[in-house]
Amino acid sequence: MKETAFSGEIFVRKAFRSFFLPSLLSCMGLAVGGLADCIFVGNVVGMTGLTALNIGQPVYMLFNTISYSLSIGGSIRYSAALSGGKTEEGNRIFANVLGIALCVYLVLCSLGLLFLPQVLTFLGAGVPGTEVWTNCESVVRAQLMLVPLMFCQGPFYYFINSDNNPKLAGVALLTSNTLDIVFNYIFVVLLRLGPAGSVYSTGVGAAVMICISLTHILGKKGCLRFAAARPDWRGLAKSFRMGFATSVQYVYQFITILVCNHLLMSLTGDLGVAVFGIVFNVALLASSAYDAVSMALQPMVSTFNGERNNGNIRDSLQEAFRVTTAVSVFLTAVLLLFPQQVCFAFGLRGAAELAAGTGAVRIYAAGILFSGVNMLMTYYYQALEKESMSFMLFTLRNFVFFLSFSLLFGRAGIGVFWWIYPATETATLLVMILYNRKKRSWTYLKPDDGNVYTAFLYSGTADLGCVEREVDAYMEQRGASHQQTYYVSMMVEEVCGVILSKAFHAQDGYIQLTIVPQEDGDITLHLRDNAKEFNPFALNTDGISLERETGLDAIGIKVIKTRAKDFFYRRYAGFNTLVVRI
């Protein structure tokens, strides 16, 4: 138990921080970019501009669904492929996601521009020729023209993040968001291009983000490469299905925003839609923080799940819960203490406008903590490939409960309407509690059946002889052949010995060893250590000479390289990871 806790401290918390901080900067930057759209448009154009942006939101939701479904699901499959050393398969997944997504964008945008008046009527832009219609038309046309560029960011971000470069992915997206804000000011405030200027600025940021992302692929900083690949419709469907469990929120938001916009226009006109846009963007800010937690959690859970390492999965989830709670407390305090300032920043000035906005923001703040828990667990179940569970939670939270409470509370008036947010989060959490209690599990991890061997070694006290004896007993218990047992034992002795003797110098060294049996009878060994970049299989085995007694420490490595079916090394989340299949 002490070793397990220490393993979590060394290999989970440090890795979580390395993923979370860049993800937080990029996600918050994305949310701030969205807030900047509303702030600049609201202060320059007024409520009509805010209304146009909110009416155009369903267009973003449609393409978000496609982009995030393919990107999230594809990156999870990419992480799983790399954890097994299958780099070519991972690159084929990336090629299919990027290529087919781009083709779908071009087709849908062409159709949207061709039937633009019908699209605007469907979105609820009002009567042609009015100020609201004119602003909505400029926004939607700009969106459809730039979608192929803007929504190619998703595959680049998620795949580079999963390719052990969350810092570059975060910097690329943060740069995109920063430029979005800067050019938002230029286009909307200085050049007076109206609400469409906020879309143009997003396009500028997206172009720069993609250019930065290309430096990772073309510079060969990881395993991710452009590859010629035939369309893999079955694999693409699997990626979409895995990602859709969480990306389905955008489909639901597409529907609920349409319903709420029509409902609020009938209740209060422009004011209700404008306040709804403010609350929606504040909700996006909170969601972006939880997205950052989830984006740090997902690649770790996917990797540990491939290793059947339940202990590290639980440690990852606990760390994510701690961060989620801290974020929720902070956001709740800010929104409860400064709601009027939030509304003022979006351009609301009159007493009636501020009163409506302040009440809505405070009511929304009441459900923030529950929102964080719901989002975290949904992404966790997705990383475990429990798509049905993840899909159920997203469906309840973003569609069934939200739409039901919208229609119910809308009848009671605008003051009651905003309680849809805390009511939806509370109801979703209650369903999850009851469902998990029935299933008698929160984590849904496979029980330890003794088929997986794990060991945790400290460089100062490591007893390789003891570990070898345990491995021999483990292999014998599994009924392995003498030859396979011999090579597995040699792998542990030689590779762990080289790491302990050559990789660690002044620092304390830790190695985590996991042995996982495969269905075809092979054995996969996973090694993770906290040394500086060190690949045991990169040792020079050409200089081995028994006569001159040179390179003797690499003899075992050479034997393993010739006998192993596959071996794969990469630097991942600040650690050296090695996968060997025997």
Coordinates of all heavy atoms in Angstrom, one line a residue, residues 198-258:
S198 N -15.9 39.5 -35.2 CA -15.5 38.6 -34.1 C -15.2 37.2 -34.8 O -14.4 36.4 -34.2 CB -16.6 38.4 -33.1 OG -17.8 37.9 -33.6
V199 N -15.9 36.9 -35.9 CA -15.7 35.6 -36.6 C -14.4 35.7 -37.4 O -13.6 34.7 -37.4 CB -16.8 35.3 -37.5 CG1 -16.6 33.9 -38.2 CG2 -18.1 35.3 -36.8
Y200 N -14.1 36.8 -38.0 CA -12.8 37.0 -38.8 C -11.6 36.8 -37.8 O -10.6 36.2 -38.2 CB -12.8 38.3 -39.5 CG -13.9 38.6 -40.4 CD1 -14.5 39.9 -40.6 CD2 -14.5 37.5 -41.2 CE1 -15.5 40.1 -41.5 CE2 -15.5 37.8 -42.1 CZ -16.0 39.0 -42.2 OH -17.1 39.3 -43.1
S201 N -11.7 37.4 -36.7 CA -10.6 37.3 -35.7 C -10.3 35.9 -35.3 O -9.2 35.5 -35.1 CB -10.9 38.2 -34.5 OG -12.0 37.7 -33.7
T202 N -11.4 35.1 -35.1 CA -11.2 33.7 -34.8 C -10.5 32.9 -35.9 O -9.7 32.1 -35.7 CB -12.6 33.0 -34.5 OG1 -13.3 33.7 -33.5 CG2 -12.4 31.6 -34.1
G203 N -10.8 33.3 -37.2 CA -10.2 32.7 -38.3 C -8.7 33.0 -38.4 O -7.9 32.1 -38.7
V204 N -8.3 34.2 -38.0 CA -6.9 34.6 -38.0 C -6.1 33.7 -36.9 O -5.1 33.2 -37.2 CB -6.7 36.1 -37.7 CG1 -5.2 36.4 -37.4 CG2 -7.3 36.9 -38.8
G205 N -6.7 33.6 -35.8 CA -6.1 32.8 -34.7 C -6.0 31.4 -35.1 O -5.0 30.7 -34.8
A206 N -7.0 30.8 -35.7 CA -7.0 29.4 -36.2 C -5.8 29.2 -37.1 O -5.1 28.1 -37.1 CB -8.3 29.0 -36.7
A207 N -5.6 30.1 -38.1 CA -4.6 29.9 -39.1 C -3.2 29.8 -38.4 O -2.4 29.0 -38.7 CB -4.6 31.0 -40.1
V208 N -3.0 30.7 -37.4 CA -1.7 30.7 -36.7 C -1.5 29.5 -35.9 O -0.4 28.9 -35.8 CB -1.6 32.0 -35.9 CG1 -0.3 32.0 -35.0 CG2 -1.6 33.2 -36.8
M209 N -2.6 29.0 -35.3 CA -2.5 27.8 -34.4 C -2.1 26.6 -35.2 O -1.3 25.8 -34.8 CB -3.9 27.6 -33.8 CG -4.0 26.4 -32.8 SD -4.3 24.8 -33.6 CE -4.2 23.8 -32.2
I210 N -2.7 26.5 -36.4 CA -2.3 25.3 -37.3 C -0.9 25.4 -37.7 O -0.1 24.4 -37.8 CB -3.3 25.3 -38.5 CG1 -4.7 25.0 -38.1 CG2 -2.8 24.3 -39.5 CD1 -5.7 25.0 -39.1
C211 N -0.4 26.6 -38.0 CA 1.0 26.8 -38.4 C 2.0 26.4 -37.3 O 3.0 25.7 -37.5 CB 1.3 28.2 -38.8 SG 0.5 28.7 -40.4
I212 N 1.6 26.8 -36.1 CA 2.5 26.4 -34.9 C 2.4 24.9 -34.7 O 3.4 24.2 -34.4 CB 2.0 27.1 -33.6 CG1 2.2 28.6 -33.8 CG2 2.7 26.6 -32.4 CD1 1.6 29.4 -32.6
S213 N 1.2 24.3 -34.9 CA 1.1 22.8 -34.7 C 1.9 22.0 -35.7 O 2.4 21.0 -35.4 CB -0.4 22.4 -34.8 OG -1.2 23.1 -33.8
L214 N 2.1 22.6 -36.9 CA 2.8 21.9 -37.9 C 4.3 21.7 -37.6 O 4.9 20.8 -38.0 CB 2.7 22.7 -39.3 CG 1.3 22.6 -40.0 CD1 1.3 23.5 -41.2 CD2 1.0 21.2 -40.3
T215 N 4.8 22.6 -36.7 CA 6.2 22.5 -36.3 C 6.4 21.2 -35.5 O 7.5 20.7 -35.5 CB 6.6 23.7 -35.4 OG1 5.9 23.7 -34.2 CG2 6.4 25.0 -36.2
H216 N 5.4 20.7 -34.8 CA 5.5 19.5 -34.0 C 5.6 18.3 -35.0 O 6.5 17.4 -34.8 CB 4.3 19.3 -33.1 CG 4.3 18.0 -32.4 ND1 5.0 17.7 -31.2 CD2 3.7 16.8 -32.7 CE1 4.8 16.5 -30.9 NE2 4.0 15.9 -31.8
I217 N 4.8 18.3 -36.0 CA 4.7 17.2 -37.0 C 5.9 17.2 -37.9 O 6.6 16.2 -38.1 CB 3.4 17.2 -37.7 CG1 2.2 17.1 -36.7 CG2 3.3 16.0 -38.7 CD1 0.9 17.2 -37.4
L218 N 6.1 18.4 -38.6 CA 7.2 18.4 -39.6 C 8.5 18.4 -38.9 O 9.5 18.0 -39.5 CB 7.0 19.7 -40.4 CG 5.7 19.8 -41.2 CD1 5.6 21.1 -41.9 CD2 5.5 18.7 -42.1
G219 N 8.6 18.9 -37.7 CA 9.9 18.9 -36.9 C 10.2 17.6 -36.3 O 11.2 17.4 -35.6
K220 N 9.2 16.6 -36.4 CA 9.4 15.3 -35.9 C 9.8 15.3 -34.4 O 10.7 14.6 -33.9 CB 10.5 14.5 -36.6 CG 10.2 14.3 -38.1 CD 11.3 13.6 -38.8 CE 10.9 13.4 -40.3 NZ 12.0 12.7 -41.1
K221 N 8.9 16.1 -33.6 CA 9.2 16.2 -32.2 C 8.5 15.1 -31.4 O 8.6 15.0 -30.2 CB 8.7 17.5 -31.7 CG 9.4 18.7 -32.3 CD 8.8 20.0 -31.8 CE 9.6 21.2 -32.4 NZ 9.0 22.5 -32.0
G222 N 7.7 14.2 -32.0 CA 7.1 13.1 -31.4 C 6.9 12.0 -32.4 O 7.7 11.8 -33.3
C223 N 5.9 11.2 -32.2 CA 5.6 10.1 -33.1 C 4.6 10.5 -34.2 O 4.4 9.8 -35.2 CB 5.0 8.9 -32.3 SG 6.1 8.3 -31.0
L224 N 3.9 11.6 -34.1 CA 2.8 12.0 -35.0 C 3.4 12.5 -36.3 O 4.3 13.3 -36.4 CB 2.0 13.2 -34.4 CG 0.7 13.5 -35.1 CD1 -0.3 12.3 -35.0 CD2 0.0 14.7 -34.4
R225 N 2.9 11.9 -37.4 CA 3.3 12.2 -38.8 C 2.1 12.3 -39.7 O 1.1 11.6 -39.5 CB 4.3 11.1 -39.3 CG 5.5 10.9 -38.5 CD 6.6 12.0 -38.6 NE 7.8 11.7 -38.0 CZ 8.0 12.0 -36.7 NH1 7.1 12.5 -35.9 NH2 9.2 11.7 -36.1
F226 N 2.3 13.0 -40.8 CA 1.3 12.9 -41.9 C 1.5 11.6 -42.6 O 2.7 11.3 -42.9 CB 1.4 14.1 -42.8 CG 1.0 15.4 -42.3 CD1 1.9 16.5 -42.1 CD2 -0.4 15.6 -41.9 CE1 1.4 17.7 -41.6 CE2 -0.8 16.8 -41.4 CZ 0.1 17.8 -41.2
A227 N 0.5 10.9 -42.9 CA 0.6 9.6 -43.6 C -0.4 9.5 -44.6 O -1.6 9.9 -44.5 CB 0.5 8.5 -42.6
A228 N -0.1 8.8 -45.7 CA -1.1 8.5 -46.8 C -1.8 7.3 -46.3 O -1.2 6.2 -46.0 CB -0.4 8.2 -48.1
A229 N -3.1 7.4 -46.1 CA -3.9 6.3 -45.6 C -5.2 6.2 -46.4 O -5.9 7.2 -46.7 CB -4.2 6.5 -44.1
R230 N -5.7 5.0 -46.7 CA -7.0 4.8 -47.3 C -8.0 5.1 -46.2 O -7.8 4.9 -45.0 CB -7.1 3.3 -47.7 CG -6.2 2.9 -48.9 CD -6.4 1.5 -49.3 NE -5.6 1.1 -50.4 CZ -5.5 -0.1 -50.9 NH1 -6.3 -1.1 -50.4 NH2 -4.7 -0.4 -51.9
P231 N -9.2 5.6 -46.7 CA -10.3 5.9 -45.7 C -10.6 4.6 -44.9 O -11.0 3.6 -45.5 CB -11.4 6.3 -46.6 CG -10.8 6.8 -47.9 CD -9.5 6.0 -48.1
D232 N -10.6 4.7 -43.7 CA -10.9 3.6 -42.8 C -12.2 4.0 -42.1 O -12.3 4.5 -41.0 CB -9.8 3.4 -41.7 CG -10.1 2.3 -40.7 OD1 -11.1 1.5 -41.0 OD2 -9.4 2.2 -39.7
W233 N -13.3 3.6 -42.8 CA -14.7 4.0 -42.3 C -15.0 3.4 -41.0 O -15.6 4.0 -40.2 CB -15.7 3.7 -43.4 CG -15.4 4.5 -44.7 CD1 -15.0 3.9 -45.8 CD2 -15.6 5.9 -44.9 NE1 -14.8 4.9 -46.8 CE2 -15.2 6.1 -46.2 CE3 -16.0 6.9 -44.1 CZ2 -15.2 7.4 -46.8 CZ3 -16.0 8.2 -44.6 CH2 -15.6 8.4 -46.0
R234 N -14.6 2.1 -40.8 CA -14.9 1.4 -39.6 C -14.2 2.1 -38.4 O -14.7 2.3 -37.4 CB -14.5 0.0 -39.7 CG -14.8 -0.8 -38.4 CD -14.6 -2.3 -38.6 NE -15.4 -2.9 -39.6 CZ -15.4 -4.2 -40.0 NH1 -14.5 -5.0 -39.4 NH2 -16.2 -4.6 -40.9
G235 N -12.9 2.4 -38.6 CA -12.1 3.0 -37.6 C -12.6 4.4 -37.3 O -12.6 4.9 -36.2
L236 N -13.0 5.1 -38.4 CA -13.5 6.5 -38.2 C -14.8 6.5 -37.5 O -15.0 7.4 -36.6 CB -13.7 7.1 -39.6 CG -13.9 8.6 -39.6 CD1 -12.5 9.3 -39.3 CD2 -14.5 9.1 -40.9
A237 N -15.6 5.5 -37.7 CA -16.9 5.4 -37.0 C -16.6 5.1 -35.5 O -17.3 5.6 -34.6 CB -17.7 4.3 -37.6
K238 N -15.6 4.3 -35.3 CA -15.2 4.0 -33.9 C -14.8 5.3 -33.2 O -15.1 5.6 -32.0 CB -14.2 2.9 -33.8 CG -13.8 2.5 -32.4 CD -12.9 1.3 -32.3 CE -12.6 0.9 -30.9 NZ -11.6 -0.2 -30.9
S239 N -13.9 6.0 -33.9 CA -13.4 7.3 -33.3 C -14.6 8.3 -33.0 O -14.7 8.9 -31.9 CB -12.4 8.0 -34.3 OG -11.3 7.2 -34.4
F240 N -15.5 8.4 -34.0 CA -16.6 9.3 -33.8 C -17.5 8.8 -32.7 O -18.0 9.6 -31.9 CB -17.5 9.3 -35.1 CG -18.5 10.4 -35.1 CD1 -18.3 11.7 -35.5 CD2 -19.8 10.1 -34.7 CE1 -19.3 12.6 -35.5 CE2 -20.8 11.0 -34.7 CZ -20.5 12.3 -35.1
R241 N -17.7 7.5 -32.6 CA -18.6 7.0 -31.5 C -18.0 7.2 -30.1 O -18.7 7.6 -29.2 CB -18.8 5.5 -31.7 CG -19.8 4.9 -30.8 CD -20.1 3.4 -31.1 NE -19.0 2.6 -31.1 CZ -18.4 2.0 -32.1 NH1 -18.8 2.3 -33.4 NH2 -17.3 1.3 -32.0
M242 N -16.7 7.0 -30.0 CA -16.0 7.3 -28.7 C -16.1 8.7 -28.4 O -16.3 9.1 -27.2 CB -14.6 6.8 -28.8 CG -14.4 5.3 -28.9 SD -12.7 4.8 -29.1 CE -12.0 5.3 -27.6
G243 N -15.8 9.6 -29.3 CA -15.8 11.1 -29.1 C -17.2 11.6 -28.9 O -17.4 12.6 -28.2
F244 N -18.1 11.0 -29.6 CA -19.5 11.5 -29.6 C -20.1 11.5 -28.2 O -21.1 12.2 -27.9 CB -20.4 10.7 -30.6 CG -21.7 11.3 -30.9 CD1 -21.9 12.5 -31.6 CD2 -22.9 10.7 -30.3 CE1 -23.1 13.0 -31.8 CE2 -24.1 11.2 -30.6 CZ -24.3 12.4 -31.3
A245 N -19.7 10.5 -27.4 CA -20.2 10.4 -26.1 C -20.1 11.7 -25.3 O -21.0 12.0 -24.5 CB -19.5 9.3 -25.3
T246 N -19.1 12.5 -25.6 CA -19.0 13.8 -24.9 C -19.3 14.9 -25.9 O -19.9 16.0 -25.5 CB -17.5 14.0 -24.4 OG1 -16.6 13.7 -25.4 CG2 -17.3 13.2 -23.2
S247 N -19.0 14.8 -27.2 CA -19.2 15.8 -28.2 C -20.7 16.0 -28.5 O -21.1 16.9 -29.1 CB -18.4 15.6 -29.4 OG -17.1 15.5 -29.2
V248 N -21.5 14.9 -28.1 CA -22.9 15.0 -28.3 C -23.5 16.2 -27.6 O -24.6 16.7 -28.0 CB -23.6 13.7 -27.9 CG1 -23.6 13.6 -26.3 CG2 -25.1 13.7 -28.3
Q249 N -22.8 16.8 -26.7 CA -23.3 18.0 -26.0 C -23.5 19.1 -27.0 O -24.4 19.9 -26.8 CB -22.2 18.5 -24.9 CG -20.9 18.9 -25.5 CD -20.0 19.4 -24.5 OE1 -20.3 20.3 -23.7 NE2 -18.7 18.9 -24.5
Y250 N -22.7 19.2 -28.1 CA -22.9 20.2 -29.0 C -24.2 20.1 -29.8 O -24.8 21.0 -30.3 CB -21.7 20.3 -29.9 CG -20.4 20.7 -29.1 CD1 -19.4 19.7 -29.1 CD2 -20.3 21.9 -28.5 CE1 -18.2 20.0 -28.3 CE2 -19.2 22.2 -27.7 CZ -18.1 21.2 -27.7 OH -17.0 21.5 -26.9
V251 N -24.6 18.8 -30.1 CA -25.8 18.5 -30.8 C -27.0 19.0 -29.9 O -27.9 19.7 -30.3 CB -26.0 17.0 -31.1 CG1 -27.4 16.8 -31.7 CG2 -24.9 16.6 -32.0
Y252 N -26.9 18.7 -28.6 CA -27.9 19.0 -27.7 C -27.9 20.6 -27.5 O -29.0 21.2 -27.4 CB -27.7 18.4 -26.3 CG -27.7 16.9 -26.4 CD1 -27.0 16.1 -25.5 CD2 -28.5 16.2 -27.3 CE1 -27.0 14.7 -25.6 CE2 -28.6 14.8 -27.4 CZ -27.8 14.1 -26.5 OH -27.9 12.7 -26.6
Q253 N -26.8 21.2 -27.5 CA -26.7 22.7 -27.3 C -27.3 23.3 -28.6 O -28.0 24.4 -28.5 CB -25.3 23.1 -27.1 CG -24.8 22.9 -25.7 CD -23.4 23.3 -25.5 OE1 -22.7 23.7 -26.4 NE2 -22.9 23.2 -24.3
F254 N -27.1 22.7 -29.7 CA -27.7 23.2 -31.0 C -29.2 23.3 -30.8 O -29.8 24.3 -31.2 CB -27.3 22.2 -32.1 CG -27.9 22.6 -33.4 CD1 -27.2 23.4 -34.3 CD2 -29.1 22.1 -33.8 CE1 -27.8 23.7 -35.6 CE2 -29.7 22.4 -35.0 CZ -29.0 23.2 -35.9
I255 N -29.8 22.2 -30.3 CA -31.2 22.1 -30.1 C -31.7 23.1 -29.0 O -32.7 23.8 -29.2 CB -31.7 20.7 -29.9 CG1 -31.3 19.8 -31.1 CG2 -33.2 20.6 -29.6 CD1 -31.6 18.3 -30.8
T256 N -31.1 23.0 -27.9 CA -31.5 23.7 -26.7 C -31.4 25.2 -26.9 O -32.2 26.0 -26.5 CB -30.8 23.3 -25.4 OG1 -29.4 23.4 -25.6 CG2 -31.2 21.9 -25.0
I257 N -30.3 25.6 -27.6 CA -30.1 27.1 -27.8 C -31.2 27.6 -28.8 O -31.8 28.7 -28.6 CB -28.7 27.4 -28.4 CG1 -27.7 27.2 -27.3 CG2 -28.7 28.8 -29.0 CD1 -26.3 27.3 -27.8
L258 N -31.6 26.8 -29.8 CA -32.6 27.2 -30.7 C -33.9 27.3 -29.9 O -34.7 28.3 -30.1 CB -32.8 26.1 -31.8 CG -31.9 26.2 -33.0 CD1 -32.2 25.0 -33.9 CD2 -32.1 27.5 -33.7

